[in-house]
Amino acid sequence: MNAAGFPLLSLLTFLPLAGAVAILCIRGDEATVASNARWTALWTSLIVFVLSLILWFRFDPRVADAQFVEQLAWLPDFGVNYHMGVDGISVLFVLLSTLLTPICILASWEGVQHRVREYMIAFLVLETMMVGMFCALDLIIFYVFFEGVLIPMFLIIGVWGGQRRVYAAFKFFLYTLLGSVLMLLAILALWFRAGTTDIAGLMDVPVPANWQYWMFLAFFASFAVKVPMWPVHTWLPDAHVEAPTAGSVILAGVLLKMGGYGFLRFSIPLFPEASAFFAPLMFALSVVAVIYTSIIAFAQDDMKKLIAYSSVAHMGIVTIGLFTFNQQGISGAIFQMLSHGVVSGALFLCVGVLYDRVHSREIARYGGVAKIMPAFALVFMLFTMASVALPGTAGFPGEFLVITGAWRSSGWVALGAGMGMILGAAYMLWLYRRVIFSRITKNEVKGLLDLSPRELAIFAPLILLTLWMGLYPSSFTNVWEVSVAALIERHEAALSVPRLAGL
Amino acid sequence: MFVGAVFFPLLGATLAGFFGRWLGDRLSMWVSVGCMVLAAICGVSAFVEVGLHSAPRVVTIAEWIDVGGLSVDWALRYDTLSAMMVGMVTFISTFIHLYSVGYMSHDETPPRFFAYLGLFTFAMLMLVTADNLVQLFFGWEGVGLASYLLIGYWYDRESANRASMKAFIVNRVGDLFFMLGMALTFWTFGALTFGDIFARVEEMRGATFAGLPALEVISVLLFLGACGKSAQLGLHTWLPDAMEGPTPVSALIHAATMVTAGVFLLARMSPIFEYAPNALTLVTIVGASTAFFAATVGCVQNDIKRIIAYSTCSQLGYMFFAIGVGAYQSAVFHLFTHAFFKALLFLSAGSVIHAMSDEQDIRKMGGIWTKIPITYAVMWIGSLALAGIPFFAGYYSKDMILESAFAAHTGTGMYAFAMGLIAAFLTAFYSWRLLILTFHGAPRADRHVMEHVHESPAVMLIPLLVLAVGALFTGAAFYELFVGHHEGEFWNGAIYTAEHNHVLHAAHSVPEWVPLAPTVIAVAGIALAYLFYMFAPSIPARLAQTFPGIHRFLLHKWYFDELYDAVFVRPFRMLAQLFWKVGDATIIDGLPNGIAAVTSDAARGVARFQTGRVANYAFTMIAGLVVFVSVIFLGFTR
């Protein structure tokens, strides 16, 4: 058995599903159903979060391998098993998912008024899929959860979204599905060769170099869309703009991380030579993403679109870090993913606060908000600064480590990544200035109320986390340090074999 | 004591910022002043203990980042250099806090202002006491944030918002190079803690990066970082605009502390710069050019704070070229004295503005010296110190810098010396232009304003008088310690001078005309100002008419803003639209949307066959059958 003494990961994965079933059984008139659905969803997700804290406390950061492992025979004839476990790389993503879900449910408390039951079910199912995906240690299980995420997200955008929600939902679905189909082919090919889809088992069967390139590209097709990397990023701004606030939070907070996590978990360890071979391409695409999307962000009139584009730029930093193959770069990339999950999630919540009051995402409709909503202005300022990577906030360590790590590969890549510092400051401050500063001229802005206790409760954990990650990042990097070191070691060993053979 | 000096301002900022609503305006102001007084007591005693009794130490607070050999702590490093900065910053900041109590008394949200001031002071103290480059960068960005908030303090003014954004972004340009400099430092030395870096400088002198000496590249990158914060030529454009903030801010940030961060960084990294001669040459040229450039622009500006801002820019140029010729001690000495008299000048300008009902244009002043005699007197003291008139603070440090530049005996050193002399002349000229236009002549303000001209309250005058004492005596009092014959014992290794560097020694034995020249030139500048603005006021106007090109060139600050607007800002906006509307919407989205359109068109076309008539289907089936059968038969017959 594992460190928790009971199948904790399965519990974390399927408890939300049980909550969803419970919500399904609620009967009564519409108001009762809505209220019960909200409370059930909130309590379920809170319990899941508290349970997931056990992971944090009982996780042993000195061990590189998977912990809390559970294994059940599922399709033993095909070498496919139900295999769950977390290592240093995935454990914090599980926590990120379980933290953001109750926040999202709380954030939609008043914003969502129709089909509340279905909404809450969608979110709980989504949580199951996310947690399961980060825990899966079997490719097929991973693929099921990875794809499963699409369904509730598709519904959340398509049903509770804005005006162009159907276009955005389909665009989101088709983009991500198309990539995944190619990945499925590669998974089948891997299974065909190795006779198993167990991730640890696959590591022991090196993939021949000429296969690696094609398989890498197939996985790349799926993960690059998820990240999203340039030039397959255009689904993201549309999805964000149309999604309800909580949908955006999960989308930016967790779903984008699935791509980066996938690169780290599969592409780099399974295809070391192809990864090294394609690293320059990854750098090029990422640097373009950082600069190109940062510049586009500057031109946006829609708050959500601006933050969506900034997400693409920040994820560009992540993909740069991943392909540096050194401790600083990869640790920085993981840190950046986590911090981006917190910070961009919080930024979307900030937009949501304004949207709930004025029902507009258009920047020009605001101005001078600082005067009447000082607490909100302060919170927004904190996350703005975290987004531009001010030292002392969550945004800094990741970006700093990635730039340092990238310098090892090439000074130009580091410079390109660093351009985000300048451009990021430009578009974020430009946004802040137009929304928060200057004189109040719009009538509808005059009557706004400052943050409610519910909203403060939503922001409090995120504020705490943003400062904690900025002031004491070692408490996070320690968790994955050993796992990342093992990953790099394996990567270098794999690369040195053909070289030795070549000698 | 060591921790208190740094963290009391943060405490004050927290109290004023978060509890200002409950404390009330007056109480939260005095709470932050109280915290600053405590910090100043700690800071000055730390300076006495570390600087005068030679007991450097490092106070480690907590672990910060530790990733694969890259490990840095939150730690306070107290050696002579940082202790001196801590003492100076806490001391001056305390009096600026006190002054603000009077200056901001009519403001709507003084607790917010004091929270920002405290935050700023805290960040500056973290910067100077940093034990490693990353923590220095924390303070570096922290002062950037605080100055952004303070410049944009009156956020309902569009100009303030523009200026604050400009300050942050221009600073960020420098910060990018700082970041890259850190990256290269780490890969060269394997560490970012100062102690570890400096210990390995000898061994890494031969290290290269991309074929260039690594130490040179690091130095250039860090210098470019310093250029942003210290407003050197090219990245200076934010500083004059920063005058949009309340005047105490200008005094604190844009004179005494924040802009000196770049000078501090270079002095701190002296062990590396000493082995990067080419980088030092670059520093000298940029510094000297800045000194000259800013002084020329200062001569034609009309906003009282802007003139002083350009003089700050110019004085920073002096400090940089002093570092460039290897005289770090002279640079830091000038930084120290400059902090006093520049804070004094800004605060007295604030007192003038206060008296003139928020008028800042010196063309609309005049004839007020009898009404505000104390302000007038301290402004004289500040200007005398700035111009480097003997026995005032600036005299000692500026002379020392010019002597060092001369003593360097290099081409760039002589360039710096020449530029420094010209700038000294212009400095004296514009300082007295400002004095005369502001205080003398016939009143040019309207009667309503003139009736209200009054001396500031005691809470503002006391800081002025204290700083005036500083502007009078800090030069003479600290000359021996900072740059005298026994400076080595005082600095105690905090500033490193390589064995081949004898500039400071040589500066004490330059020809006799060299120390005299700046004084003579400054007096000439003053005389010219008197001639132009007191005795023959028609000359400047006629000069401007005779040389309209030069005048316009100077008035537009050498067209830097216009140039940047044309080269960076406007193309950037165009590019943003282009990438968005064409790149994303047309090209990248065009492909999938196009495929979708083709698919749905095709589907619609195919749908037309579904007519629902059995006869049509039957006909199609038969036609298909005929084709099929014919193909088979043709295949057989062949």
Side-chain angles (χ1 to χ4, degrees):
Chain A
M1 210 61 226
N2 58 58
F6 61 96
L8 177 62
L9 295 178
S10 294
L11 189 66
L12 289 178
T13 307
F14 293 107
L15 193 60
L17 206 58
V21 173
I23 294 176
L24 209 55
C25 302
I26 298 172
R27 290 283 173 271
D29 63 83
E30 202 172 330
T32 338
V33 171
S35 156
N36 283 338
R38 282 191 193 114
W39 283 107
T40 316
L42 182 63
W43 275 111
T44 314
S45 59
L46 279 176
I47 291 169
V48 171
F49 175 62
V50 172
L51 283 173
S52 70
L53 287 178
I54 298 176
L55 276 185
W56 170 266
F57 291 123
R58 301 292 295 272
F59 185 82
D60 185 353
R62 285 161 302 179
V63 179
D65 293 333
Q67 302 177 35
F68 302 96
V69 176
E70 298 161 24
Q71 203 155 10
L72 281 176
W74 185 31
L75 299 169
D77 300 342
F78 297 93
V80 180
N81 292 307
Y82 178 78
H83 190 181
M84 302 283 260
V86 285
D87 68 354
I89 295 171
S90 54
V91 61
L92 291 182
F93 288 105
V94 174
L95 278 149
L96 182 69
S97 313
T98 57
L99 170 72
L100 285 180
T101 307
I103 287 177
C104 282
I105 288 170
L106 210 53
S108 351
W109 208 254
E110 285 154 14
V112 174
Q113 287 299 343
H114 71 287
R115 296 177 197 261
V116 179
R117 176 185 7 200
E118 289 77 6
Y119 184 85
M120 294 300 165
I121 290 174
F123 261 92
L124 290 178
V125 173
L126 188 59
E127 184 173 19
T128 291
M129 297 300 169
M130 294 187 302
V131 174
M133 194 216 64
F134 286 122
C135 296
L137 287 183
D138 187 285
L139 254 179
I140 295 292
I141 305 285
F142 170 82
Y143 187 77
V144 169
F145 285 121
F146 188 81
E147 292 300 289
V149 168
L150 285 184
I151 300 162
M153 200 63 215
F154 173 73
L155 293 174
I156 289 170
I157 298 173
V159 178
W160 292 274
Q163 279 165 1
R164 294 177 71 221
R165 57 180 181 263
V166 176
Y167 169 76
F170 272 97
K171 197 170 180 182
F172 160 76
F173 196 88
L174 290 176
Y175 256 92
T176 41
L177 190 71
L178 193 69
S180 308
V181 169
L182 292 173
M183 183 171 78
L184 184 61
L185 285 176
I187 290 177
L188 290 177
L190 278 177
W191 170 77
F192 194 70
R193 269 188 48 76
T196 176
T197 52
D198 194 79
I199 294 171
L202 285 172
M203 302 282 175
D204 299 334
V205 189
V207 184
N210 52 345
W211 281 47
Q212 281 193 19
Y213 300 107
W214 294 109
M215 308 261 259
F216 181 90
L217 288 176
F219 275 81
F220 170 78
S222 174
F223 297 143
V225 172
K226 269 271 162 40
V227 166
M229 293 178 75
W230 188 87
V232 286
H233 63 276
T234 51
W235 64 269
L236 184 72
D238 283 319
H240 268 309
V241 166
E242 300 307 328
T245 302
S248 293
V249 173
I250 286 287
L251 191 57
V254 185
L255 263 57
L256 300 193
K257 310 305 169 302
M258 290 161 49
Y261 175 76
F263 278 127
L264 201 52
R265 174 100 319 160
F266 303 105
S267 301
I268 294 174
L270 288 177
F271 320 121
E273 283 163 60
S275 302
F277 177 79
F278 285 115
L281 175 73
M282 302 298 284
F283 287 148
L285 292 180
S286 309
V287 168
V288 170
V290 170
I291 295 173
Y292 177 95
T293 51
S294 295
I295 293 177
I296 291 188
F298 190 80
Q300 300 307 312
D301 310 313
D302 182 310
M303 289 191 273
K304 269 187 148 179
K305 217 163 188 175
L306 193 154
I307 298 170
Y309 273 112
S310 89
S311 291
V312 182
H314 281 132
M315 294 308 288
I317 303 272
V318 171
T319 40
I320 289 174
L322 291 177
F323 285 85
T324 58
F325 309 120
N326 57 45
Q327 187 87 34
Q328 284 76 23
I330 294 184
S331 282
I334 300 175
F335 200 96
Q336 175 84 352
M337 282 197 261
L338 293 171
S339 73
H340 179 261
V342 173
V343 173
S344 74
L347 282 172
F348 279 116
L349 286 170
C350 286
V351 176
V353 165
L354 290 175
Y355 185 80
D356 284 348
R357 287 164 173 71
V358 184
H359 296 289
S360 171
R361 299 180 308 262
E362 207 182 322
I363 297 172
R365 296 272 294 271
Y366 297 89
V369 172
K371 197 127 232 161
I372 41 173
M373 298 175 73
F376 173 71
L378 182 67
V379 171
F380 197 6
M381 172 54 77
L382 174 74
F383 293 120
T384 301
M385 284 301 144
S387 172
V388 303
L390 195 85
T393 63
F396 174 70
E399 207 161 315
F400 168 64
L401 289 170
V402 169
I403 290 177
T404 307
W407 184 277
R408 188 98 233 228
S409 302
S410 153
W412 294 110
V413 177
L415 181 70
M419 286 302 286
M421 281 177 59
I422 303 172
L423 300 172
Y427 62 72
M428 281 315 286
L429 294 185
W430 179 232
L431 168 72
Y432 194 83
R433 170 183 161 185
R434 286 181 292 169
V435 173
I436 304 289
F437 287 154
S438 76
R439 208 182 295 273
I440 300 182
T441 49
K442 320 285 185 304
N443 271 329
E444 48 195 354
V445 176
K446 275 182 189 148
L448 298 187
L449 295 174
D450 210 347
L451 295 179
S452 70
R454 177 181 64 87
E455 287 163 335
L456 278 176
I458 294 170
F459 282 120
L462 298 176
I463 293 170
L464 203 72
L465 212 54
T466 303
L467 293 175
W468 181 13
M469 290 178 87
L471 296 175
Y472 191 33
S474 324
S475 54
F476 296 89
T477 53
N478 280 343
V479 174
W480 63 71
E481 176 135 33
V482 176
S483 298
V484 170
L487 178 85
I488 294 168
E489 202 179 317
R490 208 164 45 227
H491 178 78
E492 283 170 355
L495 283 189
S496 64
V497 171
R499 266 186 223 138
L500 287 178
L503 289 174
Chain B
M1 175 173 79
F2 295 105
V3 177
V6 177
F7 284 92
F8 272 123
L10 182 66
L11 178 70
T14 316
L15 289 176
F18 290 105
F19 302 99
R21 208 177 294 177
W22 293 279
L23 291 173
D25 288 358
R26 284 200 69 75
L27 192 59
S28 46
M29 285 200 272
W30 286 107
V31 163
S32 24
V33 173
C35 285
M36 272 318 299
V37 170
L38 289 175
I41 292 170
C42 293
V44 173
S45 35
F47 172 62
V48 170
E49 183 165 335
V50 175
L52 305 184
H53 297 123
S54 302
R57 72 194 64 202
V58 175
V59 186
T60 306
I61 298 171
E63 186 187 11
W64 187 16
I65 299 176
D66 180 11
V67 173
L70 191 164
S71 87
V72 290
D73 289 336
W74 293 106
L76 307 179
R77 177 191 177 97
Y78 275 93
D79 56 13
T80 308
L81 182 61
S82 52
M84 175 227 93
M85 291 295 284
V86 169
M88 187 269 282
V89 170
T90 50
F91 183 81
I92 290 184
S93 181
T94 304
F95 285 101
I96 291 175
H97 271 73
L98 189 65
Y99 178 91
S100 308
V101 172
Y103 193 85
M104 300 304 282
S105 58
H106 304 304
D107 194 74
E108 281 177 23
T109 52
R112 185 165 66 93
F113 181 77
F114 278 83
Y116 292 169
L117 270 192
L119 180 69
F120 172 80
T121 312
F122 165 70
M124 186 67 198
L125 291 168
M126 284 301 270
L127 193 163
V128 297
T129 57
D131 170 54
N132 53 66
L133 272 175
V134 190
Q135 188 183 332
L136 201 153
F137 191 66
F138 168 81
W140 188 268
E141 292 275 272
V143 292
L145 167 68
S147 76
Y148 164 75
L149 294 170
L150 283 166
I151 296 166
Y153 176 74
W154 285 309
Y155 56 77
D156 44 9
R157 296 183 189 170
E158 279 308 308
S159 54
N161 288 333
R162 206 174 309 129
S164 63
M165 254 183 84
K166 186 173 177 185
F168 198 91
I169 293 169
V170 173
N171 266 301
R172 269 277 157 135
V173 176
D175 296 350
L176 167 61
F177 293 107
F178 191 125
M179 193 89 129
L180 296 176
M182 279 201 286
L184 181 57
T185 308
F186 175 70
W187 292 116
T188 307
F189 295 98
L192 286 167
T193 308
F194 291 133
D196 300 343
I197 297 173
F198 299 160
R200 298 188 59 199
V201 170
E202 267 311 311
E203 152 188 7
M204 286 301 155
R205 279 175 66 183
T208 55
F209 171 75
L212 300 166
L215 295 190
E216 295 270 11
V217 181
I218 293 175
S219 301
V220 170
L221 287 171
L222 290 179
F223 167 64
L224 290 175
C227 278
K229 205 111 286 184
S230 288
Q232 292 300 289
L233 195 63
L235 294 177
H236 66 279
T237 52
W238 66 273
L239 183 62
D241 286 15
M243 296 305 128
E244 287 293 337
T247 307
V249 174
S250 315
L252 180 61
I253 299 187
H254 308 118
T257 51
M258 170 173 163
V259 291
T260 58
V263 182
F264 171 81
L265 173 70
L266 266 52
R268 171 56 85 211
M269 299 307 282
S270 54
I272 291 184
F273 277 84
E274 277 297 81
Y275 297 108
N278 295 321
L280 283 179
T281 307
L282 179 69
V283 175
T284 315
I285 295 172
V286 172
S289 309
T290 307
F292 171 71
F293 152 77
T296 57
V297 176
C299 290
V300 299
Q301 298 300 312
N302 292 315
D303 183 311
I304 183 167
K305 280 167 75 179
R306 236 165 229 268
I307 299 172
I308 308 178
Y310 275 106
S311 97
T312 303
C313 198
S314 170
Q315 299 304 310
L316 288 166
Y318 277 93
M319 297 176 209
F320 270 83
F321 76 67
I323 285 176
V325 298
Y328 306 92
Q329 293 87 343
S330 313
V332 174
F333 187 35
H334 196 51
L335 186 164
F336 182 73
T337 57
H338 175 257
F340 286 90
F341 60 75
K342 192 48 68 69
L344 173 64
L345 279 173
F346 264 119
L347 292 185
S348 28
S351 181
V352 170
I353 295 167
H354 199 70
M356 297 296 290
S357 315
D358 293 333
E359 181 56 63
Q360 301 198 9
D361 192 331
I362 53 173
R363 287 171 300 187
K364 297 182 184 157
M365 296 181 184
I368 52 172
W369 70 277
T370 46
K371 296 194 173 182
I372 44 172
I374 300 177
T375 306
Y376 179 61
V378 293
M379 197 120 183
W380 257 87
I381 294 174
S383 301
L384 287 167
L386 173 65
I389 301 303
F391 315 118
F392 289 88
Y395 164 73
Y396 294 93
S397 49
K398 198 189 269 189
D399 261 25
M400 195 62 214
I401 286 180
L402 289 169
E403 286 160 23
S404 310
F406 185 84
H409 286 301
T410 56
T412 49
M414 285 316 290
Y415 170 70
F417 181 67
M419 286 296 147
L421 279 184
I422 300 173
F425 174 77
L426 295 172
T427 305
F429 171 75
Y430 65 66
S431 299
W432 263 264
R433 170 176 179 262
L434 185 151
L435 272 179
I436 295 165
L437 285 179
T438 307
F439 292 100
H440 292 277
R444 292 180 296 275
D446 60 37
R447 209 160 45 93
H448 188 67
V449 171
M450 287 306 288
E451 277 168 8
H452 279 89
V453 174
H454 57 281
E455 191 60 277
S456 300
V459 73
M460 286 165 71
L461 290 181
I462 291 167
L464 288 180
L465 294 172
V466 173
L467 290 173
V469 172
L472 278 170
F473 298 115
T474 46
F478 290 93
Y479 179 80
E480 270 307 311
L481 281 178
F482 277 56
V483 290
H485 287 290
H486 300 290
E487 46 87 19
E489 292 161 29
F490 172 69
W491 291 111
N492 198 13
I495 290 178
Y496 177 80
T497 330
E499 277 166 24
H500 57 76
N501 181 350
H502 306 291
V503 165
L504 211 60
H505 191 69
H508 289 292
S509 47
V510 287
E512 275 176 21
W513 64 271
V514 175
L516 263 178
T519 311
V520 174
I521 274 180
V523 172
I526 298 172
L528 189 70
Y530 266 101
L531 176 70
F532 273 21
Y533 296 99
M534 198 80 144
F535 303 117
S538 58
I539 297 181
R542 234 181 306 145
L543 272 179
Q545 268 169 7
T546 324
F547 305 105
I550 296 176
H551 184 249
R552 219 175 313 127
F553 184 64
L554 294 181
L555 201 61
H556 285 92
K557 312 145 209 163
W558 292 29
Y559 289 102
F560 266 104
D561 280 330
E562 287 80 357
L563 180 75
Y564 287 175
D565 195 50
V567 177
F568 297 116
V569 181
R570 254 178 289 154
F572 179 71
R573 282 172 190 272
M574 265 161 51
L575 215 57
Q577 289 294 336
L578 185 80
F579 280 173
W580 180 28
K581 295 277 159 72
V582 179
D584 256 25
T586 312
I587 299 173
I588 295 180
D589 260 3
L591 187 68
N593 284 353
I595 292 173
V598 168
T599 319
S600 70
D601 284 355
R604 218 168 289 135
V606 173
R608 221 171 290 148
F609 290 111
Q610 300 180 347
T611 53
R613 290 203 200 117
V614 181
N616 283 4
Y617 293 159
F619 175 75
T620 319
M621 275 167 70
I622 291 167
L625 203 63
V626 168
V627 172
F628 186 65
V629 171
S630 339
V631 167
I632 290 175
F633 275 114
L634 283 173
F636 276 126
T637 49
R638 196 171 281 170

